Amino acid sequence: LDDRVEASQDHTSKKFNVLKGQFVKFQKELSAEQMLRESIVESKTDEIERISAELRNSLAAEQAERRASEQRILQRFEQKTQTMKDEVLECGKARVHNEANLRRYLEVDIPKLYQSLKEEVDNRDAMEQRMLSKAMEEVTNLQAAILEEKRAREESEEAMLRMMEDVVAKMQAEIAAERQERERMEETLLGVLHETCDRMQQSARGSF
């Protein structure tokens, strides 16, 4: 009887050790998955910073080009103006011709130059607006990607937690069932033992 009880206890202990080993292995796999998720988030963060730096550099280069373009336009305007001044000073010998030239400059060249300058400014503003829209679009896309990655990580963590809770609940149910089975077996063995003792006592009294 003691051997059977001890064997039952050994079997229960071995089964518990196997379940414990499986639970430890599951914990290690969960830790590895969490480390992988953290590595992915760090990689995405580095990529976002790199893209942001590239956008800033591109915007800085575009602004430098814009300033250089404005400088070239101003220089062209100054050259034209200076040329006009020189020509006006040289018009003393041919007043009619000079007046015609002056009228042409005032009525044609300067409006064209002003129109060219206005178009350049409009083009510059449109270019800046496109750059700003593109930058905002990239930032919005990056933010959406970050939110999606965060949602996926949270869903994965919740799923892992639910799986772990299910495993723990199953292990607890199996342990409880094993305990009930052992207690039932012990009660049965004790009943058999008491019954055997009672029979032996009755046999002993009958022999006297």
PDB file of all heavy atoms in Angstrom, residues 17-35:
ATOM      1  N   ASN A  17       6.785  18.395 -12.729  1.00  0.00           N
ATOM      2  CA  ASN A  17       8.094  18.890 -13.205  1.00  0.00           C
ATOM      3  C   ASN A  17       8.079  19.104 -14.711  1.00  0.00           C
ATOM      4  O   ASN A  17       8.662  20.059 -15.229  1.00  0.00           O
ATOM      5  CB  ASN A  17       9.205  17.912 -12.829  1.00  0.00           C
ATOM      6  CG  ASN A  17       9.496  17.919 -11.334  1.00  0.00           C
ATOM      7  OD1 ASN A  17       9.274  18.934 -10.666  1.00  0.00           O
ATOM      8  ND2 ASN A  17       9.968  16.802 -10.794  1.00  0.00           N
ATOM      9  N   VAL A  18       7.408  18.191 -15.446  1.00  0.00           N
ATOM     10  CA  VAL A  18       7.315  18.354 -16.900  1.00  0.00           C
ATOM     11  C   VAL A  18       6.537  19.623 -17.246  1.00  0.00           C
ATOM     12  O   VAL A  18       6.937  20.417 -18.104  1.00  0.00           O
ATOM     13  CB  VAL A  18       6.644  17.122 -17.529  1.00  0.00           C
ATOM     14  CG1 VAL A  18       6.319  17.392 -19.004  1.00  0.00           C
ATOM     15  CG2 VAL A  18       7.554  15.906 -17.413  1.00  0.00           C
ATOM     16  N   LEU A  19       5.420  19.825 -16.543  1.00  0.00           N
ATOM     17  CA  LEU A  19       4.624  21.036 -16.785  1.00  0.00           C
ATOM     18  C   LEU A  19       5.403  22.285 -16.426  1.00  0.00           C
ATOM     19  O   LEU A  19       5.337  23.300 -17.126  1.00  0.00           O
ATOM     20  CB  LEU A  19       3.324  20.975 -15.973  1.00  0.00           C
ATOM     21  CG  LEU A  19       2.312  19.909 -16.407  1.00  0.00           C
ATOM     22  CD1 LEU A  19       1.141  19.863 -15.431  1.00  0.00           C
ATOM     23  CD2 LEU A  19       1.824  20.175 -17.827  1.00  0.00           C
ATOM     24  N   LYS A  20       6.160  22.183 -15.338  1.00  0.00           N
ATOM     25  CA  LYS A  20       6.973  23.339 -14.937  1.00  0.00           C
ATOM     26  C   LYS A  20       8.018  23.655 -15.992  1.00  0.00           C
ATOM     27  O   LYS A  20       8.262  24.817 -16.328  1.00  0.00           O
ATOM     28  CB  LYS A  20       7.641  23.053 -13.595  1.00  0.00           C
ATOM     29  CG  LYS A  20       8.490  24.210 -13.073  1.00  0.00           C
ATOM     30  CD  LYS A  20       9.091  23.883 -11.722  1.00  0.00           C
ATOM     31  CE  LYS A  20       9.960  25.044 -11.224  1.00  0.00           C
ATOM     32  NZ  LYS A  20      10.586  24.708  -9.926  1.00  0.00           N
ATOM     33  N   GLY A  21       8.663  22.627 -16.554  1.00  0.00           N
ATOM     34  CA  GLY A  21       9.660  22.834 -17.609  1.00  0.00           C
ATOM     35  C   GLY A  21       9.045  23.472 -18.838  1.00  0.00           C
ATOM     36  O   GLY A  21       9.632  24.369 -19.458  1.00  0.00           O
ATOM     37  N   GLN A  22       7.851  23.024 -19.212  1.00  0.00           N
ATOM     38  CA  GLN A  22       7.175  23.616 -20.368  1.00  0.00           C
ATOM     39  C   GLN A  22       6.834  25.084 -20.125  1.00  0.00           C
ATOM     40  O   GLN A  22       6.940  25.920 -21.023  1.00  0.00           O
ATOM     41  CB  GLN A  22       5.904  22.828 -20.686  1.00  0.00           C
ATOM     42  CG  GLN A  22       6.169  21.411 -21.202  1.00  0.00           C
ATOM     43  CD  GLN A  22       4.888  20.647 -21.429  1.00  0.00           C
ATOM     44  OE1 GLN A  22       3.807  21.103 -21.051  1.00  0.00           O
ATOM     45  NE2 GLN A  22       4.987  19.470 -22.043  1.00  0.00           N
ATOM     46  N   PHE A  23       6.414  25.384 -18.899  1.00  0.00           N
ATOM     47  CA  PHE A  23       6.083  26.779 -18.579  1.00  0.00           C
ATOM     48  C   PHE A  23       7.320  27.668 -18.624  1.00  0.00           C
ATOM     49  O   PHE A  23       7.275  28.786 -19.134  1.00  0.00           O
ATOM     50  CB  PHE A  23       5.446  26.835 -17.188  1.00  0.00           C
ATOM     51  CG  PHE A  23       4.987  28.208 -16.799  1.00  0.00           C
ATOM     52  CD1 PHE A  23       3.884  28.790 -17.395  1.00  0.00           C
ATOM     53  CD2 PHE A  23       5.676  28.928 -15.848  1.00  0.00           C
ATOM     54  CE1 PHE A  23       3.475  30.054 -17.046  1.00  0.00           C
ATOM     55  CE2 PHE A  23       5.273  30.188 -15.493  1.00  0.00           C
ATOM     56  CZ  PHE A  23       4.161  30.754 -16.081  1.00  0.00           C
ATOM     57  N   VAL A  24       8.456  27.180 -18.126  1.00  0.00           N
ATOM     58  CA  VAL A  24       9.709  27.950 -18.184  1.00  0.00           C
ATOM     59  C   VAL A  24      10.132  28.178 -19.630  1.00  0.00           C
ATOM     60  O   VAL A  24      10.569  29.268 -20.009  1.00  0.00           O
ATOM     61  CB  VAL A  24      10.820  27.212 -17.396  1.00  0.00           C
ATOM     62  CG1 VAL A  24      12.182  27.872 -17.643  1.00  0.00           C
ATOM     63  CG2 VAL A  24      10.501  27.221 -15.908  1.00  0.00           C
ATOM     64  N   LYS A  25       9.994  27.140 -20.467  1.00  0.00           N
ATOM     65  CA  LYS A  25      10.331  27.293 -21.895  1.00  0.00           C
ATOM     66  C   LYS A  25       9.431  28.334 -22.554  1.00  0.00           C
ATOM     67  O   LYS A  25       9.888  29.164 -23.344  1.00  0.00           O
ATOM     68  CB  LYS A  25      10.159  25.941 -22.583  1.00  0.00           C
ATOM     69  CG  LYS A  25      10.501  25.983 -24.077  1.00  0.00           C
ATOM     70  CD  LYS A  25      10.318  24.619 -24.704  1.00  0.00           C
ATOM     71  CE  LYS A  25      10.630  24.667 -26.220  1.00  0.00           C
ATOM     72  NZ  LYS A  25      10.403  23.350 -26.854  1.00  0.00           N
ATOM     73  N   PHE A  26       8.159  28.325 -22.210  1.00  0.00           N
ATOM     74  CA  PHE A  26       7.230  29.315 -22.773  1.00  0.00           C
ATOM     75  C   PHE A  26       7.611  30.728 -22.341  1.00  0.00           C
ATOM     76  O   PHE A  26       7.554  31.668 -23.141  1.00  0.00           O
ATOM     77  CB  PHE A  26       5.806  28.977 -22.301  1.00  0.00           C
ATOM     78  CG  PHE A  26       4.791  29.985 -22.753  1.00  0.00           C
ATOM     79  CD1 PHE A  26       4.333  29.974 -24.061  1.00  0.00           C
ATOM     80  CD2 PHE A  26       4.313  30.947 -21.888  1.00  0.00           C
ATOM     81  CE1 PHE A  26       3.407  30.899 -24.483  1.00  0.00           C
ATOM     82  CE2 PHE A  26       3.385  31.877 -22.312  1.00  0.00           C
ATOM     83  CZ  PHE A  26       2.935  31.845 -23.592  1.00  0.00           C
ATOM     84  N   GLN A  27       8.028  30.885 -21.080  1.00  0.00           N
ATOM     85  CA  GLN A  27       8.459  32.205 -20.609  1.00  0.00           C
ATOM     86  C   GLN A  27       9.674  32.683 -21.382  1.00  0.00           C
ATOM     87  O   GLN A  27       9.775  33.858 -21.743  1.00  0.00           O
ATOM     88  CB  GLN A  27       8.777  32.154 -19.117  1.00  0.00           C
ATOM     89  CG  GLN A  27       7.540  32.097 -18.217  1.00  0.00           C
ATOM     90  CD  GLN A  27       7.900  32.081 -16.749  1.00  0.00           C
ATOM     91  OE1 GLN A  27       8.951  31.541 -16.373  1.00  0.00           O
ATOM     92  NE2 GLN A  27       7.052  32.664 -15.925  1.00  0.00           N
ATOM     93  N   LYS A  28      10.646  31.787 -21.655  1.00  0.00           N
ATOM     94  CA  LYS A  28      11.837  32.176 -22.417  1.00  0.00           C
ATOM     95  C   LYS A  28      11.459  32.608 -23.836  1.00  0.00           C
ATOM     96  O   LYS A  28      11.979  33.592 -24.355  1.00  0.00           O
ATOM     97  CB  LYS A  28      12.820  31.019 -22.467  1.00  0.00           C
ATOM     98  CG  LYS A  28      13.486  30.715 -21.114  1.00  0.00           C
ATOM     99  CD  LYS A  28      14.464  29.558 -21.237  1.00  0.00           C
ATOM    100  CE  LYS A  28      15.156  29.264 -19.904  1.00  0.00           C
ATOM    101  NZ  LYS A  28      16.089  28.125 -19.998  1.00  0.00           N
ATOM    102  N   GLU A  29      10.557  31.866 -24.486  1.00  0.00           N
ATOM    103  CA  GLU A  29      10.131  32.229 -25.838  1.00  0.00           C
ATOM    104  C   GLU A  29       9.414  33.576 -25.847  1.00  0.00           C
ATOM    105  O   GLU A  29       9.590  34.379 -26.759  1.00  0.00           O
ATOM    106  CB  GLU A  29       9.210  31.145 -26.392  1.00  0.00           C
ATOM    107  CG  GLU A  29       9.927  29.823 -26.665  1.00  0.00           C
ATOM    108  CD  GLU A  29       8.967  28.748 -27.149  1.00  0.00           C
ATOM    109  OE1 GLU A  29       7.740  28.998 -27.123  1.00  0.00           O
ATOM    110  OE2 GLU A  29       9.428  27.658 -27.549  1.00  0.00           O
ATOM    111  N   LEU A  30       8.594  33.844 -24.809  1.00  0.00           N
ATOM    112  CA  LEU A  30       7.908  35.128 -24.714  1.00  0.00           C
ATOM    113  C   LEU A  30       8.904  36.266 -24.551  1.00  0.00           C
ATOM    114  O   LEU A  30       8.765  37.322 -25.171  1.00  0.00           O
ATOM    115  CB  LEU A  30       6.932  35.102 -23.537  1.00  0.00           C
ATOM    116  CG  LEU A  30       6.134  36.393 -23.302  1.00  0.00           C
ATOM    117  CD1 LEU A  30       5.306  36.733 -24.538  1.00  0.00           C
ATOM    118  CD2 LEU A  30       5.253  36.256 -22.075  1.00  0.00           C
ATOM    119  N   SER A  31       9.953  36.059 -23.734  1.00  0.00           N
ATOM    120  CA  SER A  31      10.985  37.093 -23.559  1.00  0.00           C
ATOM    121  C   SER A  31      11.714  37.362 -24.865  1.00  0.00           C
ATOM    122  O   SER A  31      11.985  38.509 -25.211  1.00  0.00           O
ATOM    123  CB  SER A  31      11.974  36.647 -22.479  1.00  0.00           C
ATOM    124  OG  SER A  31      11.338  36.476 -21.244  1.00  0.00           O
ATOM    125  N   ALA A  32      12.021  36.298 -25.618  1.00  0.00           N
ATOM    126  CA  ALA A  32      12.695  36.476 -26.906  1.00  0.00           C
ATOM    127  C   ALA A  32      11.815  37.273 -27.870  1.00  0.00           C
ATOM    128  O   ALA A  32      12.295  38.136 -28.610  1.00  0.00           O
ATOM    129  CB  ALA A  32      13.046  35.118 -27.506  1.00  0.00           C
ATOM    130  N   GLU A  33      10.499  37.003 -27.885  1.00  0.00           N
ATOM    131  CA  GLU A  33       9.587  37.723 -28.768  1.00  0.00           C
ATOM    132  C   GLU A  33       9.507  39.200 -28.388  1.00  0.00           C
ATOM    133  O   GLU A  33       9.479  40.080 -29.242  1.00  0.00           O
ATOM    134  CB  GLU A  33       8.185  37.087 -28.675  1.00  0.00           C
ATOM    135  CG  GLU A  33       7.143  37.733 -29.578  1.00  0.00           C
ATOM    136  CD  GLU A  33       7.449  37.541 -31.047  1.00  0.00           C
ATOM    137  OE1 GLU A  33       8.194  36.606 -31.384  1.00  0.00           O
ATOM    138  OE2 GLU A  33       6.943  38.345 -31.851  1.00  0.00           O
ATOM    139  N   GLN A  34       9.504  39.483 -27.087  1.00  0.00           N
ATOM    140  CA  GLN A  34       9.473  40.875 -26.643  1.00  0.00           C
ATOM    141  C   GLN A  34      10.741  41.600 -27.045  1.00  0.00           C
ATOM    142  O   GLN A  34      10.698  42.756 -27.477  1.00  0.00           O
ATOM    143  CB  GLN A  34       9.282  40.925 -25.129  1.00  0.00           C
ATOM    144  CG  GLN A  34       7.890  40.495 -24.664  1.00  0.00           C
ATOM    145  CD  GLN A  34       7.762  40.442 -23.158  1.00  0.00           C
ATOM    146  OE1 GLN A  34       8.759  40.450 -22.451  1.00  0.00           O
ATOM    147  NE2 GLN A  34       6.554  40.396 -22.652  1.00  0.00           N
ATOM    148  N   MET A  35      11.907  40.945 -26.931  1.00  0.00           N
ATOM    149  CA  MET A  35      13.171  41.568 -27.338  1.00  0.00           C
ATOM    150  C   MET A  35      13.169  41.857 -28.842  1.00  0.00           C
ATOM    151  O   MET A  35      13.653  42.898 -29.292  1.00  0.00           O
ATOM    152  CB  MET A  35      14.335  40.654 -26.971  1.00  0.00           C
ATOM    153  CG  MET A  35      14.578  40.540 -25.463  1.00  0.00           C
ATOM    154  SD  MET A  35      15.913  39.382 -25.062  1.00  0.00           S
ATOM    155  CE  MET A  35      17.300  40.219 -25.806  1.00  0.00           C
TER     156      MET A  35
END
